[in-house]
Amino acid sequence: MNAATRMFMSPQGVVLIAALLFALVVGFINPNFLSLATVIDLLRNSLVTAIFALGVMMVLASGGIDVSFPAIGAFAMYTTMSLVLGVDFDVPIIALFVISAAIGASLGLVNGILIGGLGLPTLIVTLGTLSLFRGALLTFVGTTYITNVPRNVISFARTMIVRMENAVGQLASLPLSFVVLVGVTAFVAIIMNLTKFGRAIYAIGGSEEGARRIGIKVGRTKVLIYVIVGAIAGLAGMTHMTLSRMANPFDLVGMELNVIAAVVLGGARITGGHGTVTGTLLGALLITMINTSLLSAGVPSYWQRVVVGALIIIGTGLPIVIDRLAKRRERLAQAAV
Amino acid sequence: MSDPVLQIDGIHKAYGPVRVLADVALTLHAGEVRCLAGENGSGKSTLIKIMSGVVPKDAGTVRIAGQELSNDPAAAINAGLSVIYQDFSLFPNLTVAENIAFLRNVAHGERWHKRGSDRQLALNTLKRMGVDIDPSQPVELLPVASKQLIAIARALANDARIIVMDEPTTALTRSEVKRLQGIIEALKKDGVAFLFVSHKTEEIFAFCDTITVLRDGRVVSQGGADEFDADRLGRDMTGRDIETHRLPRELAPTAAPIMATRGLTRHGVYSDVDLSIAPGEIVALVGLLGSGRTELALSLFGQIEPDEGVIEFKGTIRRFREPLEAMDAGIAYVPEDRLTEGLFLDQPIGDNISVASLKPSGIVDRSGLRERAREAVKRLRIKTPGIEPSVATLSGGNQQRVVLARWMERNPELMILNGPTVGVDIGSKREIHEILLDLRKSGTAVLVVTDDLGEALALSDRILVMVRGRITGEFTADEIDEERLSLSVTEEAPAR
């Protein structure tokens, strides 16, 4: 197998091809689709999904799964806005993100202690905290929409990096909050590829017992993973708020399937040990493209759930099938033993 | 003599009321290869875990180069003791280079991942061992022997002075064992000390300078390898004279084979297998781990599909697409690992015996089944107060009898057993062999898949040797001795 075919047989390659094919098909139906404006629009629409997805990729690489991140994102974002509205001076926009990330990190710590400290199964813990954090938000913090967001949030939301019109005169623009995605991408890429902590995450995903035997502090590493994922969720929540220019406590929860679909389409395996930043970003773009173009094509939103569900099954099943076929071909190639 | 690099004194360990180790002591000097010999259940694994700090000890001391070790895996690693487990504990998803460097990086508390220096460390270490493996390959693509070398390289990369190896040659061919031997010789000269954990006589004498024998958690003898011979070692390990001679039997009446295969092939696993088994005959299929012996056995039982060739059963060509079809035809298969594949550990003994003979009608005759389970317990001399306790309460040998009982309930015409006495103490082993001989007498064909050559010689009428997927030899059990059989089993694959 040469490098090119290996690239296309890899999960990222398959996702890339799938995305391009999908774009071509939509472009064939609607020629206006294939334009720079569409790409810009796509980037804007995938911002929140992509930020969440980078965090979830870290969890999957360690062999776990997290479904509580949307609740963490909503809790951190809404609580931050409630706090800020209670004080009497202008809080700089960067501080909003920092506070939200800090709240997210402390909620992530709850997950981390339950999973890394007590060794409970990740799916059960995060299913529990998903409900717990959401319930706590609605019970103790508030249920009303906050629409009177501070002025600097509005001006931040209006600041665009790129602004352009597409063929039919609709406006496509990329807001300044794109830098949050860039920052999180750089952070996760450095953690996963350049630090021992990141490599330990992959090691734990590959063989938890093996990691423990060579002296990796498995529990401590897991706690830190969930803290980081919590902080990233806080940033994603705040990004979502600046895009919609209001704080809605009912938002975000419900996104978890989209995000997990993006991550597994991007090549992370549910069984752990695999996952890349590039693949995850591609996965997030693909999922967003499918969702938005289905919407613009007039497909009822219920159908999107069907498509996303199917994609999760394909995304997790495809690597396994590719693997099995490769093994079989390899076996058959050795005609005589 | 210089001071020992490893000194263990007065180790005691009990799990609840069960005493596992009592007053165990041993020493290891630089450049020494010591064998820790003992049967399954003698306490070897517990001792390794205590040395490496994974399991706390009740009493005693472990000293490395004079320093007493605390109960912490990191402390043992930092002191230069590395354990190479049977499963190697590598990370399949990471590259060779990263696997080799990981232990050192963890031990040195590195914060940054430096791909270049990992690669350099891996290249240097592999070169020191005289091994040529591409460091950028993911470990999951490598064969078993290479994985083992990487596990050794990982220990060396961390400047290990003591390497503990758990059953290191289980999956190796003769030339791979030779290579391992060469590497160990070279490392001994560098002053690395090895502790081999094993129960295989050939392996022990091939590798070791000194021997410590463990039995029932106590050191029963130790000394230089030249003070031991196979008989004494066996006696010390088991506490009795082992009867290696063949079990007496009447001559098998010649009969048409009940099962025969012609040109049976599964690409990359086994090829061109011709074999036949007659009623009233015990055939042993011997081969190393990974020789294709298990896959071949599973193919006869319909669990793995062959690519080419035919299986003839009772004179007609049959193709078993799933085990159920093979079972209906009268074939039984007793799996390799009775604990994970064969038994429902938490369920009562009686249910475990009758589960395979449930009627397809779906209606269960409870009292009838219980009666038959009781008879089976009596017939196979399973030591239990009744059929109600769970299987988990039985010893290894008795658990294996439960598995046998289950399949015998179906009165199979061909019984395939994979490693029937693995993890069974020597007394029970003998009795299981006798049960199989009784089966033979009643006209059942028995195929035993095993890597225990003594078992093949003691039990079978005919021995088939499998090497890298091919049947390379066939012997009647009384024309060959263990030494020659061992040579043929570890032989290299024939030239293509």
Side-chain angles (χ1 to χ4, degrees), chain A residues 158-215:
Chain A
R158 283 193 180 143
T159 316
M160 298 297 162
I161 300 173
V162 186
R163 185 194 294 269
M164 67 190 315
E165 278 183 16
N166 68 8
V168 291
Q170 288 165 330
L171 207 62
S173 56
L174 195 58
L176 192 54
S177 49
F178 183 67
V179 297
V180 179
L181 175 61
V182 174
V184 171
T185 302
F187 176 76
V188 174
I190 289 170
I191 289 274
M192 296 307 274
N193 295 313
L194 298 180
T195 69
K196 264 304 137 199
F197 166 67
R199 303 319 289 176
I201 294 177
Y202 285 115
I204 292 170
S207 163
E208 188 164 331
E209 186 56 36
R212 196 166 281 130
R213 280 175 180 168
I214 68 165

Side-chain angles (χ1 to χ4, degrees), chain B residues 116-186:
Chain B
S117 64
D118 278 7
R119 190 183 158 83
Q120 204 48 52
L121 179 65
L123 282 172
N124 290 344
T125 313
L126 291 172
K127 199 166 147 204
R128 178 178 162 199
M129 292 167 63
V131 173
D132 184 30
I133 298 174
D134 176 7
S136 60
Q137 262 197 312
V139 163
E140 58 195 343
L141 300 180
L142 297 176
V144 184
S146 305
K147 285 186 186 156
Q148 181 174 51
L149 295 176
I150 288 161
I152 298 176
R154 176 164 80 177
L156 291 176
N158 189 38
D159 305 320
R161 285 175 295 163
I162 304 158
I163 297 182
V164 182
M165 300 183 83
D166 193 0
E167 310 260 347
T169 64
T170 315
L172 303 189
T173 64
R174 204 184 331 158
S175 78
E176 287 163 347
V177 171
K178 277 252 161 58
R179 179 154 80 148
L180 183 64
Q181 235 168 340
I183 290 168
I184 286 174
E185 278 306 318

Side-chain angles (χ1 to χ4, degrees), chain B residues 391-410:
Chain B
V391 170
T393 60
L394 298 177
S395 71
N398 283 306
Q399 288 182 355
Q400 188 64 310
R401 275 179 238 198
V402 171
V403 181
L404 286 177
R406 172 195 295 173
W407 291 106
M408 283 162 68
E409 278 300 292
R410 293 182 63 94

Side-chain angles (χ1 to χ4, degrees), chain B residues 422-441:
Chain B
V422 172
V424 166
D425 68 81
I426 200 132
S428 299
K429 189 168 171 175
R430 190 77 178 177
E431 286 178 19
I432 286 172
H433 287 170
E434 277 160 12
I435 294 169
L436 294 179
L437 274 179
D438 285 346
L439 266 177
R440 169 190 183 270
K441 208 164 157 191

Side-chain angles (χ1 to χ4, degrees), chain B residues 26-44:
Chain B
L26 69 81
T27 58
L28 192 63
H29 290 83
E32 178 183 342
V33 181
R34 180 176 286 273
C35 177
L36 182 62
E39 297 237 274
N40 289 308
S42 60
K44 290 177 301 183

Side-chain angles (χ1 to χ4, degrees), chain B residues 74-224:
Chain B
I77 290 168
N78 289 338
L81 185 145
S82 276
V83 180
I84 295 170
Y85 291 89
Q86 244 178 314
D87 62 3
F88 311 137
S89 286
L90 296 171
F91 305 115
N93 52 331
L94 302 182
T95 63
V96 169
E98 207 172 345
N99 266 287
I100 292 178
F102 222 119
L103 179 66
R104 181 193 177 88
N105 289 335
V106 171
H108 287 218
E110 292 280 344
R111 289 181 175 279
W112 297 98
H113 170 56
K114 303 187 196 80
R115 205 171 297 222
S117 64
D118 278 7
R119 190 183 158 83
Q120 204 48 52
L121 179 65
L123 282 172
N124 290 344
T125 313
L126 291 172
K127 199 166 147 204
R128 178 178 162 199
M129 292 167 63
V131 173
D132 184 30
I133 298 174
D134 176 7
S136 60
Q137 262 197 312
V139 163
E140 58 195 343
L141 300 180
L142 297 176
V144 184
S146 305
K147 285 186 186 156
Q148 181 174 51
L149 295 176
I150 288 161
I152 298 176
R154 176 164 80 177
L156 291 176
N158 189 38
D159 305 320
R161 285 175 295 163
I162 304 158
I163 297 182
V164 182
M165 300 183 83
D166 193 0
E167 310 260 347
T169 64
T170 315
L172 303 189
T173 64
R174 204 184 331 158
S175 78
E176 287 163 347
V177 171
K178 277 252 161 58
R179 179 154 80 148
L180 183 64
Q181 235 168 340
I183 290 168
I184 286 174
E185 278 306 318
L187 295 174
K188 272 170 72 174
K189 293 206 178 77
D190 287 356
V192 180
F194 288 87
L195 186 65
F196 258 58
V197 180
S198 182
H199 65 259
K200 286 198 208 154
T201 320
E202 321 91 72
E203 177 171 294
I204 294 170
F205 286 112
F207 281 92
C208 300
D209 308 321
T210 50
I211 296 174
T212 296
V213 182
L214 214 55
R215 187 174 75 224
D216 298 330
R218 288 176 183 278
V219 175
V220 287
S221 64
Q222 57 181 327

Side-chain angles (χ1 to χ4, degrees), chain A:
Chain A
M1 223 192 284
N2 61 29
T5 46
R6 195 159 42 209
M7 161 70 201
F8 288 122
M9 290 297 285
S10 76
Q12 289 105 302
V14 173
V15 177
L16 193 62
I17 293 169
L20 291 176
L21 277 180
F22 190 83
L24 280 178
V25 170
V26 178
F28 188 72
I29 300 165
N30 174 8
N32 291 333
F33 182 79
L34 296 177
S35 68
L36 187 60
T38 310
V39 175
I40 303 265
D41 220 31
L42 190 59
L43 281 177
R44 180 192 191 279
N45 289 331
S46 59
L47 269 186
V48 178
T49 307
I51 297 172
F52 274 133
L54 287 166
V56 174
M57 187 271 284
M58 292 177 66
V59 175
L60 254 62
S62 77
I65 190 160
D66 187 351
V67 294
S68 68
F69 58 89
I72 293 181
F75 192 108
M77 172 268 288
Y78 190 80
T79 309
T80 307
M81 293 316 287
S82 307
L83 286 175
V84 167
L85 288 177
V87 298
D88 205 16
F89 56 90
D90 278 352
V91 181
I93 193 84
I94 182 118
L96 294 182
F97 280 100
V98 171
I99 296 169
S100 186
I103 294 174
S106 41
L107 296 180
L109 183 63
V110 176
N111 279 337
I113 288 170
L114 291 172
I115 292 165
L118 300 181
L120 302 181
T122 58
L123 179 63
I124 304 302
V125 166
T126 56
L127 264 177
T129 51
L130 168 72
S131 183
L132 185 75
F133 295 154
R134 181 155 206 247
L137 171 66
L138 300 177
T139 313
F140 302 116
V141 187
T143 51
T144 51
Y145 295 9
I146 300 177
T147 48
N148 55 333
V149 293
R151 188 161 315 177
N152 57 356
V153 172
I154 302 285
S155 66
F156 176 80
R158 283 193 180 143
T159 316
M160 298 297 162
I161 300 173
V162 186
R163 185 194 294 269
M164 67 190 315
E165 278 183 16
N166 68 8
V168 291
Q170 288 165 330
L171 207 62
S173 56
L174 195 58
L176 192 54
S177 49
F178 183 67
V179 297
V180 179
L181 175 61
V182 174
V184 171
T185 302
F187 176 76
V188 174
I190 289 170
I191 289 274
M192 296 307 274
N193 295 313
L194 298 180
T195 69
K196 264 304 137 199
F197 166 67
R199 303 319 289 176
I201 294 177
Y202 285 115
I204 292 170
S207 163
E208 188 164 331
E209 186 56 36
R212 196 166 281 130
R213 280 175 180 168
I214 68 165
I216 293 174
K217 304 252 184 303
V218 174
R220 196 189 291 176
T221 307
K222 284 188 177 175
V223 172
L224 200 48
I225 293 171
Y226 288 92
V227 169
I228 291 175
V229 173
I232 292 176
L235 293 176
M238 193 47 75
T239 306
H240 173 80
M241 191 280 293
T242 66
L243 289 176
S244 58
R245 298 177 204 178
M246 66 168 192
N248 175 356
F250 297 96
D251 266 0
L252 296 174
V253 172
M255 270 188 82
E256 52 273 6
L257 272 188
N258 266 333
V259 174
I260 291 169
V263 178
V264 295
L265 279 177
R269 294 191 201 159
I270 293 284
T271 46
H274 296 268
T276 61
V277 169
T278 327
T280 305
L281 293 178
L282 282 173
L285 284 176
L286 179 63
I287 280 286
T288 310
M289 185 160 75
I290 289 166
N291 275 332
T292 52
S293 53
L294 287 179
L295 201 65
S296 65
V299 177
S301 63
Y302 311 115
W303 271 104
Q304 293 178 24
R305 313 289 293 182
V306 175
V307 172
V308 169
L311 281 176
I312 290 187
I313 292 171
I314 294 170
T316 40
L318 201 62
I320 297 170
V321 173
I322 289 177
D323 215 42
R324 206 174 284 164
L325 285 179
K327 284 221 176 85
R328 189 182 152 76
R329 191 151 5 126
E330 207 173 290
R331 192 170 65 72
L332 291 176
Q334 307 168 296
V337 186

